[in-house]
Amino acid sequence: MTTHDDHSHLSDVELRVRSLESLLTEKGLVDPATLDAIVDRYENKVGPRNGSRVVARAWVDPDFKKRLLEDASAAIDSLGYTSTQGVDMRVLENTARIHNVTVCTLCSCYPWAVLGLPPAWYKSFPYRSRVVKDPRGVLREFGLDLGSDIEVRVWDSTAELRYIVLPERPEGTQGLSESELADLVTRNSMIGTEKAASPQNGDS
Ligand code: FE
């Protein structure tokens, strides 16, 4: 029997990592707060940076954007992020009428090559189960209240096919350089649980 309180859904690797972490912590060899800080850095900053660059390029280069939407793996590889090998990638474009959000309902399939480590909530049972049934409600909890005129599409990732969302380019960003634009592209905006940041609040 599997409930979300036990750990039977964890892979062998995850179980080993957890055991190692407990052991190292017990022996006083690592500080769990430091570990959390490292993981947080990879989840939020280092990891998603490749994805942010892909999105910024698509915002400034219509030809690249076209190739990205047609064959995401090839377009991403052309920027030098070749670790997509073996996994098909698809890019989902958000528009004024369509909002895309991604999930892996079975486990935690995630576009590692461009987004790094998945956040804990992405792997959680509540997100995986609820975002399919009530995407608008879940997005509201992330602070994204979408009007009824916007169609919400939920995409279920698999081991073979992973998605990244191409968020809309924020308004007021005409004068920004490609790297300044990349700073506006948050991890969550590429999962689809928020929009890209505006330059005013400059949150990256
Ligand atoms: Fe999965």
Side-chain angles (χ1 to χ4, degrees), residues 3 6 8 19 61 63 108 126 129 194-195:
T3 74
D6 68 28
S8 57
S19 313
D61 181 345
D63 180 59
S108 56
S129 54
E194 66 188 27
K195 293 179 180 248

Side-chain angles (χ1 to χ4, degrees), residues 50 54 57 64 73-84 113:
N50 290 349
V54 169
R57 175 67 57 86
F64 176 76
S73 301
I76 290 167
D77 285 355
S78 77
L79 294 185
Y81 309 131
T82 50
S83 45
T84 58

Side-chain angles (χ1 to χ4, degrees), residues 104 106-110 157-159:
C104 174
L106 276 181
C107 45
S108 56
C109 298
Y110 190 70
S157 309
T158 66

Side-chain angles (χ1 to χ4, degrees), residues 1 36 44 48 58 60 75 82 89-90 102 127 131 137 170 173 177 193 203-204:
M1 188 190 84
D36 287 348
N44 292 296
V60 301
T82 50
M89 298 275 306
R90 186 163 166 202
T102 64
Y127 177 76
V131 76
T173 55
S177 70
T193 51
D203 230 16
S204 60

